[in-house]
Amino acid sequence: MSTLQDQVDAIFERPPGDGVSLAMVVQRGGAVVAERYGFQPDTEFGAGGPVTEATPLISWSMAKSFIHAAVGILVADGLLDVEAPAPVPAWAGTPKAAITVLDLLEMRSGLEFVEDYVDGESSSCIAMLFGEGSADHATYAAGLPLEHEPGTVWNYSSGDTNIISRIVGDVVCGAATADAATAERRAAVEAFMHDRLFGPLGMDSSSLGFDAARNWVGSSYVHATARDFARFGELYRSDGVAPSGDRILPEGWVEHAHTWIAHDPTDDIESGFDYGRHWWGWPEFDCLGAHGYEGQFIVIEPERELVVVHLGKTDTEVRRHLVTMIAELIRSA
């Protein structure tokens, strides 16, 4: 009978055409029970090298689930009301003024957005991150046409996330720096995330990525070690309570993430995936999942007290093989 470590090893030893695993951590009840690291290939962003327990890696869209946590902290502080219209000044007096923060969290803003990571001709995401919207991601996304009535149509959108991210920055920074692309704005957001989330969880390796307007790119950019991503997963497994016993997220906020808005009948997994409020669901296990481009996963399975983190480089076309193996690991744990 294979052990959890055997199954982690099998994921790393997939055929090269099925992708590359860089780091994987499996925790049960908060303790590491299986772990492995690989080798980072050279990329356009820098030279590769061995990946270790201390190597921070990119989240890609797993960062969206960190946005859910940031919003929850501000809700607990009484500084943000998710049911209220999103505080985007440019939307005042337009039909977009009806968009709520919750609409953005549920990706039902109604804004036109094409979430494509390959086709630069039709990708709002590529235009936002690397093209015409790269200087100010939130302004680019907020300026897109309103395609549907807010709250009616689900459309996975990194643009919605970056609008929320700017709102988080505005609330954290206050009026003095809300409209200024200043170093102080970035420092205030970094301090908020470290003081209220990363620090209490012991996520000492964690850092954020910002655009030129000093807004955290919450759609895509958290860097952390695999163990630190697992610590974030443990926060949601523990109903928003840190290892110290201090409550980080408001009561009911994990269930808030777990409220399914849509279903994606992807062939990555037989049951498909559900979508909630910046978290995915694995219906077979009633799991929460933070998912990122190229096979980044934090999967939380409460019944088995599991948190599974996988970081690597896996093309969309073959991701189903990786998901199948992670699902089998959970199933047999």
Side-chain angles (χ1 to χ4, degrees), residues 241-267:
V241 176
S244 64
D246 293 332
R247 176 163 287 284
I248 304 298
L249 304 176
E251 289 188 18
W253 198 246
V254 172
E255 188 59 32
H256 181 272
H258 209 273
T259 302
W260 307 127
I261 305 305
H263 182 74
D264 180 7
T266 173
D267 65 359

PDB file of all heavy atoms in Angstrom, residues 241-267:
ATOM      1  N   VAL A 241      -8.891  30.755  12.394  1.00  0.00           N
ATOM      2  CA  VAL A 241      -8.180  30.942  13.658  1.00  0.00           C
ATOM      3  C   VAL A 241      -6.710  30.566  13.476  1.00  0.00           C
ATOM      4  O   VAL A 241      -6.385  29.510  12.925  1.00  0.00           O
ATOM      5  CB  VAL A 241      -8.818  30.093  14.775  1.00  0.00           C
ATOM      6  CG1 VAL A 241      -8.023  30.220  16.074  1.00  0.00           C
ATOM      7  CG2 VAL A 241     -10.265  30.524  14.996  1.00  0.00           C
ATOM      8  N   ALA A 242      -5.806  31.423  13.934  1.00  0.00           N
ATOM      9  CA  ALA A 242      -4.375  31.193  13.830  1.00  0.00           C
ATOM     10  C   ALA A 242      -3.912  30.140  14.831  1.00  0.00           C
ATOM     11  O   ALA A 242      -4.628  29.827  15.792  1.00  0.00           O
ATOM     12  CB  ALA A 242      -3.621  32.503  14.063  1.00  0.00           C
ATOM     13  N   PRO A 243      -2.692  29.591  14.651  1.00  0.00           N
ATOM     14  CA  PRO A 243      -2.182  28.595  15.613  1.00  0.00           C
ATOM     15  C   PRO A 243      -2.139  29.110  17.049  1.00  0.00           C
ATOM     16  O   PRO A 243      -2.241  28.328  17.996  1.00  0.00           O
ATOM     17  CB  PRO A 243      -0.770  28.311  15.086  1.00  0.00           C
ATOM     18  CG  PRO A 243      -0.854  28.589  13.623  1.00  0.00           C
ATOM     19  CD  PRO A 243      -1.791  29.736  13.489  1.00  0.00           C
ATOM     20  N   SER A 244      -1.999  30.422  17.233  1.00  0.00           N
ATOM     21  CA  SER A 244      -1.972  31.009  18.574  1.00  0.00           C
ATOM     22  C   SER A 244      -3.328  30.964  19.266  1.00  0.00           C
ATOM     23  O   SER A 244      -3.427  31.188  20.475  1.00  0.00           O
ATOM     24  CB  SER A 244      -1.527  32.469  18.481  1.00  0.00           C
ATOM     25  OG  SER A 244      -2.492  33.225  17.748  1.00  0.00           O
ATOM     26  N   GLY A 245      -4.384  30.692  18.482  1.00  0.00           N
ATOM     27  CA  GLY A 245      -5.741  30.745  19.012  1.00  0.00           C
ATOM     28  C   GLY A 245      -6.440  32.057  18.718  1.00  0.00           C
ATOM     29  O   GLY A 245      -7.638  32.201  18.992  1.00  0.00           O
ATOM     30  N   ASP A 246      -5.709  33.021  18.169  1.00  0.00           N
ATOM     31  CA  ASP A 246      -6.303  34.307  17.823  1.00  0.00           C
ATOM     32  C   ASP A 246      -7.129  34.176  16.544  1.00  0.00           C
ATOM     33  O   ASP A 246      -6.705  33.519  15.582  1.00  0.00           O
ATOM     34  CB  ASP A 246      -5.215  35.360  17.598  1.00  0.00           C
ATOM     35  CG  ASP A 246      -4.459  35.688  18.876  1.00  0.00           C
ATOM     36  OD1 ASP A 246      -5.063  35.560  19.961  1.00  0.00           O
ATOM     37  OD2 ASP A 246      -3.274  36.048  18.782  1.00  0.00           O
ATOM     38  N   ARG A 247      -8.291  34.793  16.541  1.00  0.00           N
ATOM     39  CA  ARG A 247      -9.139  34.767  15.347  1.00  0.00           C
ATOM     40  C   ARG A 247      -8.650  35.818  14.356  1.00  0.00           C
ATOM     41  O   ARG A 247      -8.582  37.003  14.676  1.00  0.00           O
ATOM     42  CB  ARG A 247     -10.608  34.998  15.710  1.00  0.00           C
ATOM     43  CG  ARG A 247     -11.516  35.079  14.490  1.00  0.00           C
ATOM     44  CD  ARG A 247     -12.975  34.894  14.821  1.00  0.00           C
ATOM     45  NE  ARG A 247     -13.294  33.499  15.158  1.00  0.00           N
ATOM     46  CZ  ARG A 247     -13.416  32.531  14.258  1.00  0.00           C
ATOM     47  NH1 ARG A 247     -13.260  32.793  12.965  1.00  0.00           N
ATOM     48  NH2 ARG A 247     -13.715  31.303  14.637  1.00  0.00           N
ATOM     49  N   ILE A 248      -8.302  35.374  13.140  1.00  0.00           N
ATOM     50  CA  ILE A 248      -7.825  36.268  12.083  1.00  0.00           C
ATOM     51  C   ILE A 248      -8.985  36.703  11.198  1.00  0.00           C
ATOM     52  O   ILE A 248      -9.106  37.882  10.836  1.00  0.00           O
ATOM     53  CB  ILE A 248      -6.748  35.574  11.225  1.00  0.00           C
ATOM     54  CG1 ILE A 248      -5.589  35.074  12.091  1.00  0.00           C
ATOM     55  CG2 ILE A 248      -6.254  36.511  10.128  1.00  0.00           C
ATOM     56  CD1 ILE A 248      -4.853  36.153  12.826  1.00  0.00           C
ATOM     57  N   LEU A 249      -9.828  35.743  10.825  1.00  0.00           N
ATOM     58  CA  LEU A 249     -10.971  36.009   9.954  1.00  0.00           C
ATOM     59  C   LEU A 249     -12.246  36.029  10.790  1.00  0.00           C
ATOM     60  O   LEU A 249     -12.342  35.324  11.795  1.00  0.00           O
ATOM     61  CB  LEU A 249     -11.080  34.927   8.870  1.00  0.00           C
ATOM     62  CG  LEU A 249      -9.844  34.711   8.003  1.00  0.00           C
ATOM     63  CD1 LEU A 249     -10.070  33.550   7.032  1.00  0.00           C
ATOM     64  CD2 LEU A 249      -9.457  35.975   7.250  1.00  0.00           C
ATOM     65  N   PRO A 250     -13.232  36.810  10.379  1.00  0.00           N
ATOM     66  CA  PRO A 250     -14.477  36.853  11.168  1.00  0.00           C
ATOM     67  C   PRO A 250     -15.183  35.499  11.167  1.00  0.00           C
ATOM     68  O   PRO A 250     -15.033  34.703  10.235  1.00  0.00           O
ATOM     69  CB  PRO A 250     -15.309  37.919  10.465  1.00  0.00           C
ATOM     70  CG  PRO A 250     -14.748  38.023   9.093  1.00  0.00           C
ATOM     71  CD  PRO A 250     -13.291  37.695   9.205  1.00  0.00           C
ATOM     72  N   GLU A 251     -15.935  35.252  12.198  1.00  0.00           N
ATOM     73  CA  GLU A 251     -16.703  34.009  12.254  1.00  0.00           C
ATOM     74  C   GLU A 251     -17.596  33.911  11.021  1.00  0.00           C
ATOM     75  O   GLU A 251     -18.238  34.880  10.622  1.00  0.00           O
ATOM     76  CB  GLU A 251     -17.545  33.973  13.523  1.00  0.00           C
ATOM     77  CG  GLU A 251     -16.728  33.785  14.787  1.00  0.00           C
ATOM     78  CD  GLU A 251     -17.603  33.569  16.006  1.00  0.00           C
ATOM     79  OE1 GLU A 251     -18.789  33.237  15.825  1.00  0.00           O
ATOM     80  OE2 GLU A 251     -17.087  33.713  17.127  1.00  0.00           O
ATOM     81  N   GLY A 252     -17.627  32.721  10.421  1.00  0.00           N
ATOM     82  CA  GLY A 252     -18.443  32.500   9.234  1.00  0.00           C
ATOM     83  C   GLY A 252     -17.766  32.856   7.937  1.00  0.00           C
ATOM     84  O   GLY A 252     -18.335  32.611   6.860  1.00  0.00           O
ATOM     85  N   TRP A 253     -16.550  33.399   7.991  1.00  0.00           N
ATOM     86  CA  TRP A 253     -15.911  33.844   6.746  1.00  0.00           C
ATOM     87  C   TRP A 253     -15.436  32.671   5.889  1.00  0.00           C
ATOM     88  O   TRP A 253     -15.446  32.747   4.660  1.00  0.00           O
ATOM     89  CB  TRP A 253     -14.753  34.798   7.046  1.00  0.00           C
ATOM     90  CG  TRP A 253     -14.344  35.600   5.843  1.00  0.00           C
ATOM     91  CD1 TRP A 253     -13.166  35.535   5.161  1.00  0.00           C
ATOM     92  CD2 TRP A 253     -15.127  36.608   5.180  1.00  0.00           C
ATOM     93  NE1 TRP A 253     -13.154  36.431   4.119  1.00  0.00           N
ATOM     94  CE2 TRP A 253     -14.352  37.109   4.104  1.00  0.00           C
ATOM     95  CE3 TRP A 253     -16.400  37.132   5.383  1.00  0.00           C
ATOM     96  CZ2 TRP A 253     -14.809  38.096   3.237  1.00  0.00           C
ATOM     97  CZ3 TRP A 253     -16.863  38.130   4.530  1.00  0.00           C
ATOM     98  CH2 TRP A 253     -16.074  38.597   3.471  1.00  0.00           C
ATOM     99  N   VAL A 254     -15.024  31.588   6.512  1.00  0.00           N
ATOM    100  CA  VAL A 254     -14.652  30.399   5.734  1.00  0.00           C
ATOM    101  C   VAL A 254     -15.884  29.840   5.032  1.00  0.00           C
ATOM    102  O   VAL A 254     -15.831  29.451   3.864  1.00  0.00           O
ATOM    103  CB  VAL A 254     -13.990  29.342   6.634  1.00  0.00           C
ATOM    104  CG1 VAL A 254     -13.784  28.034   5.872  1.00  0.00           C
ATOM    105  CG2 VAL A 254     -12.655  29.870   7.159  1.00  0.00           C
ATOM    106  N   GLU A 255     -17.012  29.815   5.721  1.00  0.00           N
ATOM    107  CA  GLU A 255     -18.253  29.377   5.083  1.00  0.00           C
ATOM    108  C   GLU A 255     -18.655  30.349   3.976  1.00  0.00           C
ATOM    109  O   GLU A 255     -19.225  29.945   2.962  1.00  0.00           O
ATOM    110  CB  GLU A 255     -19.363  29.266   6.122  1.00  0.00           C
ATOM    111  CG  GLU A 255     -20.645  28.624   5.601  1.00  0.00           C
ATOM    112  CD  GLU A 255     -20.435  27.206   5.081  1.00  0.00           C
ATOM    113  OE1 GLU A 255     -19.556  26.490   5.605  1.00  0.00           O
ATOM    114  OE2 GLU A 255     -21.151  26.822   4.128  1.00  0.00           O
ATOM    115  N   HIS A 256     -18.358  31.620   4.155  1.00  0.00           N
ATOM    116  CA  HIS A 256     -18.595  32.618   3.112  1.00  0.00           C
ATOM    117  C   HIS A 256     -17.851  32.238   1.839  1.00  0.00           C
ATOM    118  O   HIS A 256     -18.408  32.301   0.732  1.00  0.00           O
ATOM    119  CB  HIS A 256     -18.125  33.993   3.626  1.00  0.00           C
ATOM    120  CG  HIS A 256     -18.336  35.129   2.675  1.00  0.00           C
ATOM    121  ND1 HIS A 256     -17.405  35.478   1.726  1.00  0.00           N
ATOM    122  CD2 HIS A 256     -19.362  36.003   2.538  1.00  0.00           C
ATOM    123  CE1 HIS A 256     -17.846  36.521   1.044  1.00  0.00           C
ATOM    124  NE2 HIS A 256     -19.026  36.851   1.513  1.00  0.00           N
ATOM    125  N   ALA A 257     -16.592  31.805   1.975  1.00  0.00           N
ATOM    126  CA  ALA A 257     -15.820  31.360   0.810  1.00  0.00           C
ATOM    127  C   ALA A 257     -16.436  30.125   0.176  1.00  0.00           C
ATOM    128  O   ALA A 257     -16.349  29.905  -1.028  1.00  0.00           O
ATOM    129  CB  ALA A 257     -14.383  31.052   1.233  1.00  0.00           C
ATOM    130  N   HIS A 258     -17.071  29.320   0.999  1.00  0.00           N
ATOM    131  CA  HIS A 258     -17.586  28.002   0.634  1.00  0.00           C
ATOM    132  C   HIS A 258     -18.987  28.067   0.042  1.00  0.00           C
ATOM    133  O   HIS A 258     -19.625  27.048  -0.189  1.00  0.00           O
ATOM    134  CB  HIS A 258     -17.598  27.157   1.922  1.00  0.00           C
ATOM    135  CG  HIS A 258     -17.428  25.697   1.723  1.00  0.00           C
ATOM    136  ND1 HIS A 258     -18.470  24.847   1.475  1.00  0.00           N
ATOM    137  CD2 HIS A 258     -16.319  24.922   1.756  1.00  0.00           C
ATOM    138  CE1 HIS A 258     -18.021  23.607   1.369  1.00  0.00           C
ATOM    139  NE2 HIS A 258     -16.719  23.624   1.540  1.00  0.00           N
ATOM    140  N   THR A 259     -19.492  29.267  -0.212  1.00  0.00           N
ATOM    141  CA  THR A 259     -20.818  29.445  -0.813  1.00  0.00           C
ATOM    142  C   THR A 259     -20.669  29.428  -2.331  1.00  0.00           C
ATOM    143  O   THR A 259     -20.119  30.352  -2.919  1.00  0.00           O
ATOM    144  CB  THR A 259     -21.449  30.774  -0.352  1.00  0.00           C
ATOM    145  OG1 THR A 259     -21.529  30.768   1.072  1.00  0.00           O
ATOM    146  CG2 THR A 259     -22.835  30.960  -0.941  1.00  0.00           C
ATOM    147  N   TRP A 260     -21.165  28.362  -2.956  1.00  0.00           N
ATOM    148  CA  TRP A 260     -20.884  28.176  -4.379  1.00  0.00           C
ATOM    149  C   TRP A 260     -21.810  29.008  -5.251  1.00  0.00           C
ATOM    150  O   TRP A 260     -23.024  29.031  -5.063  1.00  0.00           O
ATOM    151  CB  TRP A 260     -20.986  26.692  -4.753  1.00  0.00           C
ATOM    152  CG  TRP A 260     -20.137  25.829  -3.875  1.00  0.00           C
ATOM    153  CD1 TRP A 260     -20.540  24.737  -3.168  1.00  0.00           C
ATOM    154  CD2 TRP A 260     -18.753  26.007  -3.562  1.00  0.00           C
ATOM    155  NE1 TRP A 260     -19.502  24.212  -2.441  1.00  0.00           N
ATOM    156  CE2 TRP A 260     -18.385  24.977  -2.655  1.00  0.00           C
ATOM    157  CE3 TRP A 260     -17.783  26.940  -3.945  1.00  0.00           C
ATOM    158  CZ2 TRP A 260     -17.093  24.841  -2.156  1.00  0.00           C
ATOM    159  CZ3 TRP A 260     -16.498  26.821  -3.433  1.00  0.00           C
ATOM    160  CH2 TRP A 260     -16.168  25.782  -2.561  1.00  0.00           C
ATOM    161  N   ILE A 261     -21.206  29.693  -6.208  1.00  0.00           N
ATOM    162  CA  ILE A 261     -21.903  30.604  -7.111  1.00  0.00           C
ATOM    163  C   ILE A 261     -22.083  29.987  -8.491  1.00  0.00           C
ATOM    164  O   ILE A 261     -23.065  30.234  -9.180  1.00  0.00           O
ATOM    165  CB  ILE A 261     -21.103  31.923  -7.246  1.00  0.00           C
ATOM    166  CG1 ILE A 261     -20.846  32.542  -5.863  1.00  0.00           C
ATOM    167  CG2 ILE A 261     -21.809  32.908  -8.171  1.00  0.00           C
ATOM    168  CD1 ILE A 261     -22.101  32.772  -5.047  1.00  0.00           C
ATOM    169  N   ALA A 262     -21.118  29.159  -8.884  1.00  0.00           N
ATOM    170  CA  ALA A 262     -21.117  28.624 -10.246  1.00  0.00           C
ATOM    171  C   ALA A 262     -20.444  27.261 -10.251  1.00  0.00           C
ATOM    172  O   ALA A 262     -19.787  26.858  -9.275  1.00  0.00           O
ATOM    173  CB  ALA A 262     -20.384  29.586 -11.185  1.00  0.00           C
ATOM    174  N   HIS A 263     -20.605  26.540 -11.344  1.00  0.00           N
ATOM    175  CA  HIS A 263     -19.959  25.239 -11.524  1.00  0.00           C
ATOM    176  C   HIS A 263     -19.213  25.240 -12.851  1.00  0.00           C
ATOM    177  O   HIS A 263     -19.761  25.645 -13.884  1.00  0.00           O
ATOM    178  CB  HIS A 263     -20.984  24.107 -11.508  1.00  0.00           C
ATOM    179  CG  HIS A 263     -20.361  22.744 -11.636  1.00  0.00           C
ATOM    180  ND1 HIS A 263     -19.679  22.148 -10.594  1.00  0.00           N
ATOM    181  CD2 HIS A 263     -20.287  21.888 -12.686  1.00  0.00           C
ATOM    182  CE1 HIS A 263     -19.228  20.969 -10.994  1.00  0.00           C
ATOM    183  NE2 HIS A 263     -19.597  20.785 -12.258  1.00  0.00           N
ATOM    184  N   ASP A 264     -17.972  24.810 -12.810  1.00  0.00           N
ATOM    185  CA  ASP A 264     -17.148  24.688 -14.012  1.00  0.00           C
ATOM    186  C   ASP A 264     -17.002  23.202 -14.329  1.00  0.00           C
ATOM    187  O   ASP A 264     -16.298  22.483 -13.624  1.00  0.00           O
ATOM    188  CB  ASP A 264     -15.784  25.325 -13.759  1.00  0.00           C
ATOM    189  CG  ASP A 264     -14.853  25.230 -14.963  1.00  0.00           C
ATOM    190  OD1 ASP A 264     -15.308  24.785 -16.031  1.00  0.00           O
ATOM    191  OD2 ASP A 264     -13.671  25.610 -14.827  1.00  0.00           O
ATOM    192  N   PRO A 265     -17.645  22.731 -15.399  1.00  0.00           N
ATOM    193  CA  PRO A 265     -17.590  21.301 -15.728  1.00  0.00           C
ATOM    194  C   PRO A 265     -16.291  20.920 -16.440  1.00  0.00           C
ATOM    195  O   PRO A 265     -16.287  20.243 -17.467  1.00  0.00           O
ATOM    196  CB  PRO A 265     -18.801  21.126 -16.645  1.00  0.00           C
ATOM    197  CG  PRO A 265     -18.925  22.445 -17.339  1.00  0.00           C
ATOM    198  CD  PRO A 265     -18.502  23.482 -16.331  1.00  0.00           C
ATOM    199  N   THR A 266     -15.172  21.348 -15.881  1.00  0.00           N
ATOM    200  CA  THR A 266     -13.865  21.077 -16.468  1.00  0.00           C
ATOM    201  C   THR A 266     -13.591  19.583 -16.535  1.00  0.00           C
ATOM    202  O   THR A 266     -14.064  18.823 -15.684  1.00  0.00           O
ATOM    203  CB  THR A 266     -12.773  21.767 -15.644  1.00  0.00           C
ATOM    204  OG1 THR A 266     -11.489  21.374 -16.125  1.00  0.00           O
ATOM    205  CG2 THR A 266     -12.867  21.385 -14.181  1.00  0.00           C
ATOM    206  N   ASP A 267     -12.775  19.181 -17.514  1.00  0.00           N
ATOM    207  CA  ASP A 267     -12.401  17.769 -17.578  1.00  0.00           C
ATOM    208  C   ASP A 267     -11.173  17.483 -16.718  1.00  0.00           C
ATOM    209  O   ASP A 267     -10.635  16.379 -16.736  1.00  0.00           O
ATOM    210  CB  ASP A 267     -12.171  17.318 -19.021  1.00  0.00           C
ATOM    211  CG  ASP A 267     -10.971  18.006 -19.685  1.00  0.00           C
ATOM    212  OD1 ASP A 267     -10.323  18.863 -19.031  1.00  0.00           O
ATOM    213  OD2 ASP A 267     -10.687  17.695 -20.850  1.00  0.00           O
TER     214      ASP A 267
END
